[in-house]
Amino acid sequence: MVLSIALACGIILGVTPAPYVIEKPGPVYNTIGSTISEDGADRPLITIDGAETFPTDGTLDMLTVSLVGNPDNRPSWLKVAGAWLDSSQAVIPIEAAFPSNTTTQQRDEENTAQMVNSQQDAIAAALTNLGYTYPTIVSVVSLPDGSPATGVLKADDQIATVNGAAVTDIASLRAALTANGAGVPATVGIVRGGVAQDLTVTPVDSDGSAIIGINVKTEYQFPFTVTIQLDQVGGPSAGMMFALGIIDKLTPGLLQGGENVAGTGTIDQAGTVGPIGGIRQKLAGARSAGADWFLAPADDCDEVTGHIPDGLTVFSVTTLDQALTALDAIKSGADTSALPHCPVQ
């Protein structure tokens, strides 16, 4: 009787959907290696045309997190229980991964857009670090409902200036609007259809910031072509590792001395490294892939500490230059103890 009840409970737990999804370590990609494209061909993850490149060795791994479950196919309580007992996995409420006002398709589309943007920012960061110069264009993607710029700005407008100050990236646009202030008309210089003109928009306050209610994107006109071949992976968290892979290919010698290094972190054109999600799963994925060293955003160290796999040394970085300093120490075999680390405990 007891056995029958236990069996029945097991069956129920095995089929009853839980209000959670599971994060676990996903595929690992070597940014200086190759990957299988959608057509089945084995292609370099990073290809550079129009500039001299150099041999690479070892790994500069980018990590991913796989999500088990979605609103239409939730994991069972049995799977959730197993994930709770596995330190490499995380159980999160389904609404945290899929907000009620966002469909699975919308989430996937947003992640894809973030990946595309992060690749462009990574190329920009790498080339800026290497001393290349190139034009940057900030353009309007869309205007949300209720935007103060409705009827003034349009999609595809290029934002050139605000009150005469050059807009060279999203950060400079924000700085110019902040300097102008909310409630004060701003003169926005744009290029529309190849014609320059000045328009007036009055910014509004949003959580203490002056905004004009536009979604924008940054487009870079690079001096040569850098192609990143990575299918079916989304989000912005591979930016730093893409940038390091590009720098390795464009500079003589082995950036990390041929060692196995992994890492994660967003990046912007200036080389600032930002925090990401799923750091614990990425640490586990890196160690399973054979990495001995890990580059982590400094803002994620609180979550890293206490969850570092045995044998993995985790550096704390806030900039691309700090990441390069760590790689140079790894390459030379120097003492790395003085470099910033995420504490083990």
Side-chain angles (χ1 to χ4, degrees), residues 120 127 133-137 158 219-224:
Q120 294 303 298
L127 298 196
T133 58
Y134 47 86
T136 304
I137 297 173
Q158 296 177 10
E219 298 175 276
Y220 307 105
Q221 297 179 340
F222 299 122
F224 47 84

Side-chain angles (χ1 to χ4, degrees), residues 101-114:
N101 59 346
T102 302
T103 66
T104 300
Q105 180 179 349
Q106 288 172 329
R107 179 182 180 275
D108 291 343
E109 289 174 351
E110 180 181 356
N111 282 339
T112 298
Q114 288 178 338

Side-chain angles (χ1 to χ4, degrees), residues 30-212:
N30 180 12
T31 61
I32 53 175
S34 60
T35 184
I36 303 299
S37 63
E38 287 186 334
D39 61 7
D42 189 15
R43 305 178 190 274
L45 195 145
I46 297 173
T47 303
I48 299 173
D49 295 314
E52 184 179 9
T53 58
F54 301 89
T56 60
D57 197 9
T59 65
L60 288 170
D61 286 337
M62 57 156 284
L63 297 315
T64 67
V65 175
S66 293
L67 199 63
V68 178
N70 58 54
D72 301 320
N73 186 22
R74 294 178 291 163
S76 69
W77 278 105
L78 199 58
K79 285 186 177 180
V80 167
W84 268 321
L85 298 174
D86 186 341
S87 61
S88 71
Q89 300 186 41
V91 176
I92 61 174
I94 197 165
E95 61 271 14
F98 298 91
S100 58
N101 59 346
T102 302
T103 66
T104 300
Q105 180 179 349
Q106 288 172 329
R107 179 182 180 275
D108 291 343
E109 289 174 351
E110 180 181 356
N111 282 339
T112 298
Q114 288 178 338
M115 171 58 78
V116 171
N117 289 336
S118 77
Q119 291 176 358
Q120 294 303 298
D121 288 342
I123 299 168
L127 298 196
T128 297
N129 185 273
L130 293 173
Y132 291 95
T133 58
Y134 47 86
T136 304
I137 297 173
V138 177
S139 59
V140 178
V141 176
S142 62
L143 286 77
D145 292 341
S147 166
T150 298
V152 182
L153 298 177
K154 298 180 179 180
D156 298 326
D157 284 348
Q158 296 177 10
I159 309 297
T161 61
V162 173
N163 295 332
V167 173
T168 57
D169 53 26
I170 295 174
S172 63
L173 172 60
R174 289 172 177 161
L177 291 173
T178 297
N180 181 87
V184 180
T187 300
V188 180
I190 69 164
V191 177
R192 179 182 294 167
V195 179
Q197 54 185 296
D198 288 336
L199 302 174
T200 300
V201 182
T202 301
V204 297
D205 179 81
S206 176
D207 295 328
S209 298
I211 66 167
I212 55 176

